[in-house]
Amino acid sequence: ARPRLTPAERRAVFLLVGLLPVLAIGSVGNQQIFNAYMLWVPSNVSLVFFGRTMPTTWLITLDSVVSISCLVAAVAFWRVWAKRFKEPSEVVKIALGLGCSAVALLCLAAAALASTADHKASVGWVLGFELLNSIGFANVFPVGLAMYARASPKPLVGTIVGVYLLHLFLGNNLVGWLGGLLDHMAGTSFWLMHAALVGAAGATMLIAARFAG
């Protein structure tokens, strides 16, 4: 039989589903790593690391190592924080993570600005992007998963968690469309657009939390 939900539970379900497009937009910076980022970086950034030119596939390895490290570090950080200060809510953590990801994308915009026909930007911009984006990801994806599991009505927890993962599908479709714009846009404008989208998603999360409680 279909579970009977209270009005408050129904509002929670509508809100969680309504936030999926916001989370999808917020994911474009991270998801673009597997799309336009892989094509753009080798042409505009010098991948010389400790005197050795790294292959393009190194970017994926770097992203994996930094992301896992930041996930572990984020858990440890918030545990230490909670011992001395009040831990922020999940939605605040998500907004902070999206803000961090937006700043990470500004690193790529700066790299595009520094890159010329005769000179590629420093690999430091890529390292800065990877670190900041991974910190952002560590405070968005797992925190969002926990928030959806906690805020959803108990009879629908499994369903709502599955619905949460749909934002990655929506984000990947959006990333594919955005990636096609790289042929018609300057690199600086391209990455600034991504930063603006992710930053707007973070602001929308805060607004939604403010009005929905």
Side-chain angles (χ1 to χ4, degrees), residues 28-90:
V28 295
N30 186 72
Q31 299 304 98
Q32 198 65 268
I33 289 175
F34 308 100
N35 194 6
Y37 175 77
M38 291 290 291
L39 300 174
W40 180 85
V41 169
S43 301
N44 294 272
V45 179
S46 173
L47 294 179
V48 177
F49 192 65
F50 287 109
R52 181 180 177 183
T53 301
M54 307 303 292
T56 304
T57 51
W58 173 72
L59 295 171
I60 297 298
T61 303
L62 174 66
D63 180 68
S64 300
V65 171
V66 177
S67 293
I68 293 173
S69 300
C70 286
L71 283 169
V72 175
V75 172
F77 173 81
W78 289 120
R79 283 182 178 176
V80 172
W81 179 278
K83 291 180 180 179
R84 299 191 61 182
F85 308 101
K86 181 181 178 181
E87 190 171 355
S89 66
E90 290 144 335

Side-chain angles (χ1 to χ4, degrees), residues 37 49 58 62 66 122-132:
Y37 175 77
F49 192 65
W58 173 72
L62 174 66
V66 177
S122 168
V123 71
W125 292 113
V126 167
L127 298 179
F129 164 76
E130 290 288 352
L131 177 60
L132 291 171

Side-chain angles (χ1 to χ4, degrees), residues 7-18:
E9 288 175 330
R10 285 196 292 269
R11 286 195 297 271
V13 171
F14 288 137
L15 178 61
L16 293 174
V17 173

Side-chain angles (χ1 to χ4, degrees), residues 96-109:
L96 289 172
L98 291 173
C100 194
S101 295
V103 174
L105 289 160
L106 293 179
C107 289
L108 295 182

